[in-house]
Amino acid sequence: MPPVSWSNESYYSSQILPLVKKHKVIHFSKTDSRLANNGLPLWLQSIRCRVNYEALKFTPLIERLGRELVNILQKKGPFVALHLRYEMDMLAFSGCTHGCSDEEAAQLTKMRLAYPWWKEKVINSVQKRLDGLCPLTPEETALVLKALGFQRDTQIYIAAGEIYGGNQRMDLLHTTFPNIVRKEMLLSQEDLKLFQNHSSQMAALDYLVAINSDVFVPTYDGNMAKVVSGHRRYLGYRKTILLDRQKLVGLLDQYNNSTLDWVLFAARVQEIESELMGAPRQRKVIAERPKEEEYFYANPVECLA
């Protein structure tokens, strides 16, 4: 069964608990966003954190390989986990085609139309990007990281699947930051073969690296970016740089069309991001519109006092 979204504790005690007692086991077909973000007692929010960040574990194999990845990276020094959300399915779903060729844009549109459960079909990619609703491209990401002061020798772990456009789309990022690694470069084919056709299990490895990185930078605020950010807060406000894409794309366009020089571009990027480094803050609440407010698991402030 899918639980009702944004429910409070009474829903679970009056409707779900009797089913648990009757059937012993219930399979929730959907679990994200089912418990309300706000308006719950503190004891319940505290238990929620214990469940999310302490009780839930990946399988022993995933946990072992995740630790191995982190150990390899840490032996080489501090590292940034870059959640570069630029895979084909993400771009097709979101309708974001900035920087793509006409052929690539057509391919992404065809994929979006082929999936009936993706409700939004006609998308204005240009406007969506200007509204800050698209992931940064690898090229844009390279410029933003450089503007934020990351040095050329920074060790960057790419926490992502296959980047759409392949190595060509990664050229500027690799040129700007040559010390880029992926799990496929650090683990043997033997270690990864069990995960090859299981993208969620591959993402679990990225998750374990991301929560243990010195800095986490997501280029899009999807579910994984949100939950990693919240987990890092729970672990002691580890540095997380949340990119204000709506403001950044305007600066990127000005820099790329030469109406803004590098010094001013970098200064404005740093100014925009100065308050978005994962420091403590209250969670954004929007009464009656829970889908639009900040999710509990992105900023579990009740557990962080």
Side-chain angles (χ1 to χ4, degrees):
M1 61 171 292
V4 176
S5 298
W6 322 114
S7 298
N8 61 21
E9 72 274 19
S10 64
Y11 167 77
Y12 285 92
S13 60
S14 64
Q15 297 191 46
I16 300 300
L17 184 57
L19 292 174
V20 174
K21 290 179 176 178
K22 178 180 178 180
H23 298 288
K24 308 304 178 189
V25 175
I26 293 180
H27 174 206
F28 284 159
S29 54
K30 296 181 179 179
T31 55
D32 64 316
S33 314
R34 303 300 148 177
L35 188 59
N37 293 313
N38 303 294
L40 300 176
L42 182 59
W43 65 264
L44 182 54
Q45 297 288 55
S46 299
I47 291 174
R48 200 175 186 179
C49 284
R50 293 285 295 276
V51 171
N52 284 351
Y53 308 122
E54 295 183 35
L56 284 174
K57 300 292 182 185
F58 293 111
T59 63
L61 178 58
I62 291 174
E63 292 277 350
R64 178 179 67 78
L65 291 178
R67 285 194 299 271
E68 187 174 334
L69 280 169
V70 172
N71 288 338
I72 292 170
L73 290 160
Q74 289 178 337
K75 285 178 181 177
K76 298 179 181 179
F79 70 96
V80 175
L82 176 62
H83 187 43
L84 190 60
R85 198 68 172 94
Y86 204 77
E87 301 98 337
M88 184 178 183
D89 63 335
M90 172 63 204
L91 299 178
F93 170 76
S94 64
C96 296
T97 59
H98 179 73
C100 295
S101 67
D102 291 342
E103 182 180 352
E104 288 172 331
Q107 183 185 40
L108 294 171
T109 300
K110 183 178 179 180
M111 183 179 183
R112 183 168 68 256
L113 295 175
Y115 284 81
W117 51 87
W118 290 354
K119 303 301 183 185
E120 193 176 9
K121 301 298 183 182
V122 180
I123 298 174
N124 183 332
S125 176
V126 173
Q127 187 59 51
K128 194 165 188 178
R129 175 176 174 270
L130 293 175
D131 290 340
L133 301 176
C134 287
L136 294 187
T137 68
E139 296 90 343
E140 291 172 332
T141 302
L143 292 172
V144 169
L145 291 178
K146 183 178 178 182
L148 287 171
F150 287 100
Q151 300 301 304
R152 179 176 167 80
D153 62 352
T154 300
Q155 183 182 201
I156 297 179
Y157 174 88
I158 303 294
E162 183 178 352
I163 301 302
Y164 187 60
N167 292 333
Q168 184 175 350
R169 290 313 301 264
M170 294 289 287
D171 279 349
L172 180 61
L173 193 57
H174 276 289
T175 301
T176 310
F177 302 101
N179 195 11
I180 286 179
V181 295
R182 305 174 61 98
K183 53 187 167 295
E184 293 84 356
M185 298 166 60
L186 302 176
L187 297 176
S188 69
Q189 289 186 345
E190 185 71 18
D191 283 331
L192 290 174
K193 70 178 183 180
L194 294 176
F195 305 132
Q196 288 302 324
N197 297 316
H198 302 281
S199 59
S200 292
Q201 294 180 32
M202 294 287 256
L205 293 175
D206 289 338
Y207 182 94
L208 290 169
V209 174
I211 63 172
N212 287 288
S213 61
D214 295 276
V215 182
F216 174 60
V217 184
T219 61
Y220 184 73
D221 57 351
N223 284 333
M224 180 161 167
K226 287 185 173 75
V227 75
V228 169
S229 299
H231 200 155
R232 289 176 65 84
R233 287 176 181 274
Y234 184 79
L235 293 172
Y237 292 102
R238 295 178 178 176
K239 188 172 184 178
T240 299
I241 301 178
L242 302 175
L243 302 177
D244 187 332
R245 298 185 307 281
Q246 185 173 20
K247 293 179 179 178
L248 290 175
V249 295
L251 292 179
L252 286 159
D253 288 346
Q254 290 178 57
Y255 174 72
N256 285 326
N257 65 24
S258 300
T259 59
L260 195 65
D261 66 29
W262 175 259
V263 173
L264 191 53
F265 169 75
R268 289 186 177 175
V269 168
Q270 291 172 28
E271 180 182 359
I272 289 170
E273 293 300 317
S274 62
E275 300 298 321
L276 298 172
M277 299 286 183
R281 59 174 173 75
Q282 290 300 307
R283 192 168 58 249
K284 180 183 177 183
V285 179
I286 304 177
E288 308 303 324
R289 298 203 308 260
K291 192 173 182 179
E292 299 175 28
E293 66 187 4
E294 187 175 14
Y295 286 13
F296 172 85
Y297 58 81
N299 184 12
V301 68
E302 293 88 339
C303 310
L304 307 178

